Amino acid sequence: GPFCGCLLADMGADVIKVESPDGDLMRAWPPLVDGYSQYFASVNRNKRSVVLDLKDAAGLAAARRLALSADVVIENFRPGVMAKFGLDHATLARDKPALVYCSVSAFGQTGPRAKEGGFDMTLQAMSGVMSVTGESDGRPVKCGIPIADFTAGLYAAFSVVSALHKTRRDGTGDHLDVSMLGAMLGIANLQTSEYFGTGRDPVRLGSAHPMNAPYAAFRCRDGYFALAAGTDKLWQAACEGIARPDLMQDARFASPTLRARHQHELGELLEQAFANYDVAGLLDIFNARGVPCAPINSYSQVLADPQVRHMQWIEDITLPNGVHTQTIVSPQRVSGERLGVYRAPPALGQHTVEVLTEIGIKST
């Protein structure tokens, strides 16, 4: 939910974050910079914060008025929670049929699991992601970034914008049901198509690809690097680069399908050859021949990459407590213009009076 709102705010939407008097729990998540959460800041830039106590009649009335003044309502409670406050889609849509209402949840608004809660890790487990992540002989691991959380936010933002386009055309709103489980299955086309096509469950392959090789991380003299030479043309260029034309003549490696089938043997042969090179040398060789390759970067390394600097994806920001820090901005460009931070992440309730005044509620 917060990431969905952040994406919309980055594109210029006036996003109002409604918080309880205690504030969003994410405000307490580390790392804390003089008491302000850097993580909270990263997904709440460009928003305004309003504090409303939904257990108080005046606060609940203000929340309803605020929702009905909006084009879009986004919520990520368990199904049924918003109905307890009369802030659910069915109730609000009776007074505003054009309202776009987006519900983000673990499993969806209906069905046998609808009432269950979920976090990124549990959804990675449930969705099959952990069954294909990690080395083949290792224990189950999740993806290192919270892909279930953020993919659901991406689907939600895309759905909101699409629904708004429809609403402005015909005047009818929609209730958007975006689930983390559905989002995980939605991006698993490679794995689900493998199952549908063969009847076999995909398995963990480490960094390798089930249908392409060489397409993985490989060891060389001083570390690891990533190589993606999945087409015949790229495979030929890679073999020529390391002076191993004999590999092109090996019948086991004569096509992408065969290379994928025999990728364990292929990997051993390649790493024997790569042992004569450093990472930097191999990257130079393959880049010169147009073969996609990359270092295995840490975040400090990728953030220092000249492409990141060129695209201006890192921006200096000042937190409400006066601390100066940095954040990653929305990475796309619009007509060549970057999407930066035009409103710092808010202090709790920073805009309550301002927003309530805008909707005709006088502060007391």
Side-chain angles (χ1 to χ4, degrees):
F3 185 55
C4 170
C6 181
L7 294 173
L8 298 172
D10 286 344
M11 293 296 291
D14 180 13
V15 177
I16 299 168
K17 182 178 181 66
V18 179
E19 303 184 63
S20 72
D22 294 328
D24 185 339
L25 292 176
M26 192 185 290
R27 287 184 178 274
W29 287 15
L32 299 177
V33 184
D34 283 356
Y36 197 95
S37 169
Q38 182 90 25
Y39 188 37
F40 177 89
S42 72
V43 292
N44 286 286
R45 61 177 179 265
N46 297 331
K47 300 180 186 177
R48 297 192 284 173
S49 170
V50 169
V51 166
L52 295 174
D53 185 354
L54 301 188
K55 297 177 181 178
D56 173 75
L60 183 57
R64 176 179 172 79
R65 188 164 179 171
L66 181 59
L68 292 174
S69 75
D71 296 310
V72 182
V73 171
I74 302 165
E75 59 91 9
N76 62 190
F77 291 102
R78 293 194 196 197
V81 170
M82 293 293 275
K84 294 178 181 179
F85 297 103
L87 296 174
D88 55 304
H89 171 259
T91 302
L92 293 176
R94 284 198 291 267
D95 289 328
K96 188 170 185 176
L99 183 67
V100 172
Y101 192 104
C102 182
S103 296
V104 184
S105 64
F107 298 103
Q109 297 300 297
T110 60
R113 293 191 182 275
K115 299 293 185 181
E116 296 181 21
F119 285 98
D120 177 84
M121 190 275 292
T122 60
L123 267 297
Q124 288 197 41
M126 177 79 182
S127 66
V129 170
M130 287 176 63
S131 76
V132 294
T133 304
E135 297 296 333
S136 59
D137 57 350
R139 63 192 299 169
V141 296
K142 67 178 181 66
C143 177
I145 61 174
I147 55 170
D149 283 341
F150 283 84
T151 302
L154 282 163
Y155 269 109
F158 165 75
S159 300
V160 164
V161 172
S162 300
L164 278 174
H165 184 70
K166 168 182 170 290
T167 298
R168 287 168 182 170
R169 184 180 65 243
D170 61 21
T172 60
D174 282 299
H175 185 193
L176 306 172
D177 181 359
V178 178
S179 69
M180 295 164 70
L181 178 59
M184 286 292 87
L185 291 174
I187 63 170
N189 292 332
L190 179 65
Q191 287 70 32
T192 55
S193 63
E194 182 179 353
Y195 172 72
F196 292 141
T198 67
R200 297 188 300 270
D201 273 319
V203 297
R204 293 193 296 274
L205 294 172
S207 61
H209 193 287
M211 303 171 194
N212 235 331
Y215 195 99
F218 294 96
R219 184 198 299 269
C220 60
R221 185 160 54 201
D222 65 343
Y224 290 85
F225 77 106
L227 175 68
T231 68
D232 287 335
K233 183 177 180 180
L234 292 172
W235 168 238
Q236 179 180 344
C239 292
E240 292 172 347
I242 57 172
R244 289 296 304 270
D246 58 297
L247 294 176
M248 291 186 290
Q249 309 307 318
D250 193 314
R252 295 172 297 176
F253 313 138
S255 71
T257 299
L258 288 170
R259 290 193 291 277
R261 184 180 304 163
H262 300 287
Q263 62 178 290
H264 179 71
E265 303 99 296
L266 176 60
E268 290 183 342
L269 290 170
L270 286 175
E271 288 196 339
Q272 289 173 15
F274 294 157
N276 298 312
Y277 300 88
D278 292 337
V279 168
L282 285 169
L283 294 178
D284 286 343
I285 288 171
F286 293 131
N287 277 321
R289 287 163 175 78
V291 182
C293 59
I296 310 296
N297 277 338
S298 65
Y299 277 98
S300 61
Q301 290 171 322
V302 68
L303 291 173
D305 190 271
Q307 182 66 22
V308 175
R309 291 198 299 270
H310 169 79
M311 297 301 288
Q312 298 178 296
W313 288 330
I314 302 174
E315 183 165 331
D316 295 331
I317 61 169
T318 302
L319 302 179
N321 57 8
V323 170
H324 300 287
T325 184
Q326 293 180 306
T327 193
I328 296 293
V329 298
S330 202
Q332 70 271 40
R333 291 195 173 206
V334 179
S335 298
E337 296 296 321
R338 65 191 288 276
L339 303 178
V341 178
Y342 57 85
R343 180 179 286 130
L348 178 61
Q350 179 180 341
H351 305 95
T352 301
V353 173
E354 174 183 292
V355 171
L356 294 185
T357 300
E358 289 173 2
I359 61 173
I361 298 177
K362 295 181 179 180
S363 60
T364 57

Coordinates of all heavy atoms in Angstrom, one line a residue, residues 196-249:
F196 N 3.0 -26.0 -16.5 CA 1.9 -26.3 -17.4 C 2.4 -27.1 -18.6 O 1.7 -27.9 -19.1 CB 1.2 -25.0 -17.9 CG 0.5 -24.3 -16.8 CD1 0.5 -22.9 -16.7 CD2 -0.2 -25.0 -15.8 CE1 -0.2 -22.2 -15.7 CE2 -0.9 -24.3 -14.8 CZ -0.9 -22.9 -14.8
G197 N 3.6 -26.8 -19.1 CA 4.1 -27.4 -20.3 C 4.6 -28.8 -20.1 O 4.6 -29.7 -21.0
T198 N 5.2 -29.1 -18.9 CA 5.8 -30.4 -18.7 C 5.2 -31.2 -17.6 O 5.5 -32.4 -17.5 CB 7.3 -30.1 -18.3 OG1 7.4 -29.5 -17.0 CG2 8.0 -29.3 -19.3
G199 N 4.4 -30.6 -16.7 CA 3.8 -31.3 -15.6 C 4.8 -31.4 -14.4 O 4.5 -32.1 -13.4
R200 N 6.0 -30.9 -14.6 CA 7.0 -31.0 -13.5 C 7.2 -29.6 -12.8 O 7.1 -28.6 -13.4 CB 8.4 -31.4 -14.1 CG 8.4 -32.7 -14.8 CD 9.8 -33.1 -15.2 NE 10.4 -32.2 -16.1 CZ 10.3 -32.3 -17.4 NH1 9.7 -33.3 -18.0 NH2 10.9 -31.4 -18.2
D201 N 7.4 -29.7 -11.5 CA 7.7 -28.5 -10.7 C 9.0 -28.0 -11.1 O 10.0 -28.7 -11.1 CB 7.6 -28.8 -9.2 CG 6.2 -28.7 -8.6 OD1 5.5 -27.8 -9.0 OD2 5.9 -29.6 -7.8
P202 N 9.2 -26.6 -11.3 CA 10.5 -26.0 -11.4 C 11.3 -26.2 -10.1 O 10.7 -26.4 -9.0 CB 10.2 -24.6 -11.7 CG 8.8 -24.5 -12.2 CD 8.1 -25.7 -11.5
V203 N 12.6 -26.2 -10.3 CA 13.4 -26.5 -9.1 C 14.4 -25.3 -8.9 O 14.6 -24.5 -9.8 CB 14.2 -27.8 -9.2 CG1 13.2 -29.0 -9.3 CG2 15.1 -27.8 -10.5
R204 N 15.1 -25.3 -7.8 CA 16.1 -24.3 -7.5 C 17.3 -24.6 -8.4 O 17.8 -25.7 -8.4 CB 16.5 -24.4 -6.0 CG 15.4 -23.9 -5.1 CD 15.9 -23.7 -3.6 NE 16.4 -24.9 -3.0 CZ 15.7 -25.7 -2.4 NH1 14.4 -25.5 -2.2 NH2 16.2 -26.8 -1.8
L205 N 17.8 -23.5 -9.0 CA 19.0 -23.7 -9.8 C 20.1 -22.6 -9.5 O 20.9 -22.4 -10.3 CB 18.6 -23.5 -11.3 CG 17.6 -24.5 -11.9 CD1 17.2 -24.1 -13.3 CD2 18.3 -25.9 -12.0
G206 N 20.0 -22.1 -8.3 CA 21.0 -21.0 -7.9 C 20.7 -19.8 -8.8 O 19.6 -19.3 -9.0
S207 N 21.8 -19.4 -9.5 CA 21.7 -18.2 -10.4 C 21.4 -18.7 -11.9 O 21.3 -17.9 -12.8 CB 22.9 -17.4 -10.4 OG 24.1 -18.2 -10.8
A208 N 21.3 -20.0 -12.1 CA 21.1 -20.5 -13.5 C 19.7 -20.3 -13.9 O 18.8 -20.0 -13.2 CB 21.6 -22.0 -13.5
H209 N 19.5 -20.6 -15.2 CA 18.2 -20.4 -15.9 C 17.8 -21.8 -16.4 O 18.6 -22.6 -16.9 CB 18.4 -19.5 -17.1 CG 17.1 -19.0 -17.7 ND1 16.3 -19.8 -18.5 CD2 16.5 -17.8 -17.7 CE1 15.3 -19.1 -18.9 NE2 15.4 -17.9 -18.4
P210 N 16.5 -22.2 -16.3 CA 16.1 -23.5 -16.6 C 16.1 -23.8 -18.1 O 16.1 -24.9 -18.6 CB 14.6 -23.6 -16.1 CG 14.2 -22.2 -16.0 CD 15.4 -21.4 -15.7
M211 N 16.1 -22.7 -18.9 CA 16.0 -22.9 -20.4 C 17.1 -22.2 -21.2 O 17.0 -22.1 -22.4 CB 14.6 -22.4 -20.9 CG 13.4 -23.0 -20.2 SD 11.9 -22.2 -20.6 CE 10.8 -22.8 -19.3
N212 N 18.1 -21.8 -20.5 CA 19.2 -21.0 -21.2 C 20.5 -21.2 -20.5 O 20.6 -21.3 -19.3 CB 18.8 -19.5 -21.1 CG 18.8 -18.8 -22.4 OD1 19.4 -19.2 -23.3 ND2 18.0 -17.8 -22.5
A213 N 21.6 -21.3 -21.3 CA 22.9 -21.4 -20.7 C 23.9 -21.1 -21.8 O 23.6 -21.3 -23.0 CB 23.1 -22.9 -20.2
P214 N 25.1 -20.5 -21.4 CA 25.4 -20.1 -20.0 C 24.7 -18.8 -19.6 O 24.7 -17.8 -20.4 CB 26.9 -19.9 -20.1 CG 27.2 -19.5 -21.5 CD 26.2 -20.3 -22.3
Y215 N 24.0 -18.9 -18.5 CA 23.2 -17.8 -18.0 C 23.2 -17.9 -16.5 O 22.2 -18.4 -15.9 CB 21.8 -18.0 -18.6 CG 20.9 -16.8 -18.5 CD1 20.7 -16.0 -19.6 CD2 20.2 -16.5 -17.3 CE1 19.8 -14.9 -19.5 CE2 19.3 -15.4 -17.2 CZ 19.1 -14.6 -18.3 OH 18.2 -13.6 -18.3
A216 N 24.3 -17.5 -15.8 CA 24.4 -17.7 -14.4 C 25.6 -16.9 -13.9 O 26.3 -16.1 -14.6 CB 24.7 -19.2 -14.1
A217 N 25.9 -17.0 -12.6 CA 27.1 -16.5 -12.0 C 28.2 -17.6 -12.0 O 27.9 -18.7 -11.8 CB 26.8 -16.1 -10.5
F218 N 29.4 -17.2 -12.4 CA 30.5 -18.1 -12.6 C 31.7 -17.6 -11.7 O 31.9 -16.4 -11.6 CB 30.9 -18.2 -14.0 CG 29.8 -18.8 -14.9 CD1 29.0 -18.0 -15.6 CD2 29.7 -20.2 -15.0 CE1 28.0 -18.6 -16.4 CE2 28.8 -20.8 -15.8 CZ 27.9 -20.0 -16.5
R219 N 32.4 -18.6 -11.2 CA 33.6 -18.3 -10.5 C 34.8 -18.1 -11.4 O 34.9 -18.8 -12.4 CB 34.0 -19.4 -9.5 CG 35.2 -19.2 -8.6 CD 35.7 -20.5 -8.0 NE 34.8 -21.1 -7.2 CZ 34.6 -21.0 -5.9 NH1 35.4 -20.1 -5.3 NH2 33.7 -21.7 -5.2
C220 N 35.6 -17.1 -11.1 CA 36.9 -16.9 -11.9 C 38.0 -16.8 -10.9 O 37.9 -17.2 -9.7 CB 36.8 -15.8 -12.8 SG 36.5 -14.2 -12.1
R221 N 39.2 -16.3 -11.3 CA 40.3 -16.3 -10.4 C 40.2 -15.5 -9.1 O 40.6 -15.9 -8.1 CB 41.6 -15.8 -11.2 CG 42.9 -15.9 -10.5 CD 44.0 -15.8 -11.4 NE 44.0 -14.6 -12.3 CZ 44.6 -14.5 -13.5 NH1 45.4 -15.5 -13.9 NH2 44.5 -13.4 -14.2
D222 N 39.5 -14.4 -9.2 CA 39.4 -13.5 -8.0 C 38.0 -13.3 -7.5 O 37.8 -12.3 -6.8 CB 40.1 -12.2 -8.2 CG 39.5 -11.3 -9.3 OD1 38.6 -11.9 -10.1 OD2 39.7 -10.1 -9.4
G223 N 37.1 -14.1 -7.9 CA 35.7 -13.9 -7.5 C 34.7 -14.4 -8.4 O 34.9 -15.4 -9.2
Y224 N 33.5 -13.8 -8.4 CA 32.4 -14.2 -9.3 C 31.9 -13.1 -10.2 O 32.1 -11.9 -9.9 CB 31.2 -14.7 -8.4 CG 31.4 -16.0 -7.7 CD1 32.0 -16.0 -6.4 CD2 31.0 -17.2 -8.2 CE1 32.2 -17.1 -5.7 CE2 31.2 -18.4 -7.5 CZ 31.8 -18.3 -6.3 OH 32.0 -19.5 -5.6
F225 N 31.4 -13.5 -11.3 CA 30.7 -12.5 -12.2 C 29.5 -13.2 -12.9 O 29.4 -14.4 -12.8 CB 31.7 -12.0 -13.3 CG 31.9 -13.0 -14.4 CD1 31.4 -12.7 -15.7 CD2 32.7 -14.1 -14.2 CE1 31.6 -13.6 -16.7 CE2 32.9 -15.0 -15.2 CZ 32.3 -14.8 -16.5
A226 N 28.6 -12.4 -13.5 CA 27.4 -12.9 -14.1 C 27.6 -12.9 -15.6 O 28.1 -11.9 -16.2 CB 26.2 -12.1 -13.7
L227 N 27.2 -14.0 -16.3 CA 27.3 -14.0 -17.7 C 26.0 -14.5 -18.3 O 25.4 -15.5 -17.8 CB 28.5 -15.0 -18.1 CG 28.6 -15.3 -19.6 CD1 29.1 -14.1 -20.4 CD2 29.6 -16.5 -19.8
A228 N 25.5 -13.9 -19.4 CA 24.3 -14.3 -20.0 C 24.5 -14.3 -21.5 O 24.3 -13.4 -22.3 CB 23.2 -13.2 -19.7
A229 N 24.9 -15.5 -21.9 CA 25.2 -15.8 -23.4 C 24.3 -16.8 -23.9 O 24.7 -17.9 -24.3 CB 26.7 -16.2 -23.5
G230 N 23.0 -16.5 -23.8 CA 22.0 -17.5 -24.1 C 21.6 -17.8 -25.5 O 20.9 -18.7 -25.8
T231 N 22.1 -17.0 -26.4 CA 21.8 -17.2 -27.9 C 23.0 -17.9 -28.5 O 24.2 -17.8 -28.0 CB 21.4 -15.9 -28.6 OG1 22.6 -15.1 -28.7 CG2 20.3 -15.2 -27.9
D232 N 22.8 -18.5 -29.7 CA 24.0 -19.1 -30.4 C 25.0 -18.0 -30.7 O 26.2 -18.3 -30.6 CB 23.5 -19.7 -31.7 CG 22.7 -21.0 -31.4 OD1 23.0 -21.6 -30.3 OD2 21.9 -21.4 -32.2
K233 N 24.6 -16.8 -31.2 CA 25.5 -15.8 -31.5 C 26.3 -15.3 -30.3 O 27.6 -15.2 -30.4 CB 24.8 -14.6 -32.1 CG 25.7 -13.5 -32.6 CD 24.8 -12.4 -33.3 CE 25.7 -11.2 -33.7 NZ 24.9 -10.1 -34.4
L234 N 25.7 -15.2 -29.2 CA 26.4 -14.7 -28.0 C 27.3 -15.9 -27.5 O 28.4 -15.6 -27.0 CB 25.4 -14.3 -26.9 CG 24.6 -13.0 -27.2 CD1 23.5 -12.8 -26.1 CD2 25.5 -11.8 -27.2
W235 N 26.8 -17.1 -27.6 CA 27.7 -18.2 -27.2 C 28.9 -18.3 -28.0 O 30.0 -18.5 -27.5 CB 26.8 -19.5 -27.3 CG 27.6 -20.8 -27.2 CD1 27.6 -21.8 -28.1 CD2 28.4 -21.3 -26.1 NE1 28.4 -22.8 -27.7 CE2 28.9 -22.5 -26.4 CE3 28.7 -20.7 -24.8 CZ2 29.6 -23.3 -25.5 CZ3 29.5 -21.5 -24.0 CH2 29.9 -22.7 -24.3
Q236 N 28.8 -18.1 -29.3 CA 30.0 -18.1 -30.2 C 31.0 -17.0 -29.8 O 32.2 -17.2 -29.7 CB 29.6 -17.9 -31.6 CG 30.8 -17.9 -32.6 CD 30.3 -17.7 -34.0 OE1 29.1 -17.9 -34.3 NE2 31.2 -17.3 -34.9
A237 N 30.4 -15.8 -29.5 CA 31.3 -14.7 -29.1 C 32.0 -14.9 -27.8 O 33.1 -14.6 -27.6 CB 30.4 -13.4 -29.0
A238 N 31.3 -15.6 -26.8 CA 31.9 -15.9 -25.5 C 33.0 -16.9 -25.7 O 34.1 -16.7 -25.1 CB 30.8 -16.4 -24.6
C239 N 32.8 -17.9 -26.5 CA 33.8 -18.9 -26.7 C 35.1 -18.3 -27.4 O 36.2 -18.6 -27.0 CB 33.3 -20.1 -27.6 SG 32.0 -21.1 -26.7
E240 N 34.8 -17.5 -28.4 CA 35.9 -16.8 -29.0 C 36.7 -15.9 -28.1 O 37.9 -15.8 -28.2 CB 35.4 -16.1 -30.2 CG 34.9 -16.9 -31.4 CD 34.2 -16.2 -32.5 OE1 33.9 -15.0 -32.3 OE2 33.9 -16.8 -33.5
G241 N 36.0 -15.3 -27.2 CA 36.6 -14.3 -26.3 C 37.6 -15.0 -25.3 O 38.6 -14.4 -25.0
I242 N 37.3 -16.2 -24.9 CA 38.2 -16.9 -24.0 C 39.1 -18.0 -24.8 O 39.7 -18.8 -24.1 CB 37.5 -17.6 -22.9 CG1 36.4 -18.5 -23.4 CG2 36.8 -16.5 -22.0 CD1 35.7 -19.4 -22.3
A243 N 39.1 -17.9 -26.1 CA 39.9 -18.8 -26.9 C 39.6 -20.2 -26.7 O 40.5 -21.1 -26.6 CB 41.4 -18.5 -26.7
R244 N 38.3 -20.5 -26.7 CA 37.8 -21.9 -26.5 C 36.8 -22.3 -27.6 O 35.7 -22.6 -27.4 CB 37.2 -22.1 -25.1 CG 38.1 -22.1 -24.0 CD 39.1 -23.3 -24.0 NE 38.5 -24.6 -24.1 CZ 38.2 -25.3 -23.0 NH1 38.4 -24.8 -21.8 NH2 37.6 -26.5 -23.2
P245 N 37.3 -22.2 -28.9 CA 36.4 -22.6 -30.0 C 35.9 -24.0 -29.9 O 34.9 -24.4 -30.5 CB 37.2 -22.3 -31.2 CG 38.6 -22.4 -30.8 CD 38.6 -21.8 -29.4
D246 N 36.7 -24.9 -29.2 CA 36.3 -26.3 -29.1 C 35.0 -26.5 -28.4 O 34.3 -27.4 -28.7 CB 37.4 -27.0 -28.3 CG 37.6 -26.5 -26.9 OD1 38.0 -25.3 -26.8 OD2 37.3 -27.2 -26.0
L247 N 34.6 -25.6 -27.6 CA 33.3 -25.7 -26.9 C 32.2 -25.5 -27.9 O 31.1 -26.1 -27.7 CB 33.2 -24.7 -25.7 CG 34.2 -24.8 -24.6 CD1 34.0 -23.7 -23.6 CD2 33.9 -26.2 -23.9
M248 N 32.4 -24.7 -28.9 CA 31.3 -24.6 -29.9 C 31.1 -25.8 -30.7 O 30.0 -26.1 -31.3 CB 31.7 -23.4 -30.9 CG 31.7 -22.0 -30.2 SD 31.9 -20.7 -31.5 CE 33.6 -21.0 -31.9
Q249 N 32.1 -26.7 -30.8 CA 32.0 -27.9 -31.6 C 31.5 -29.1 -30.7 O 31.2 -30.1 -31.3 CB 33.4 -28.3 -32.1 CG 34.1 -27.2 -32.8 CD 33.3 -26.6 -33.9 OE1 32.6 -27.3 -34.7 NE2 33.3 -25.2 -34.0

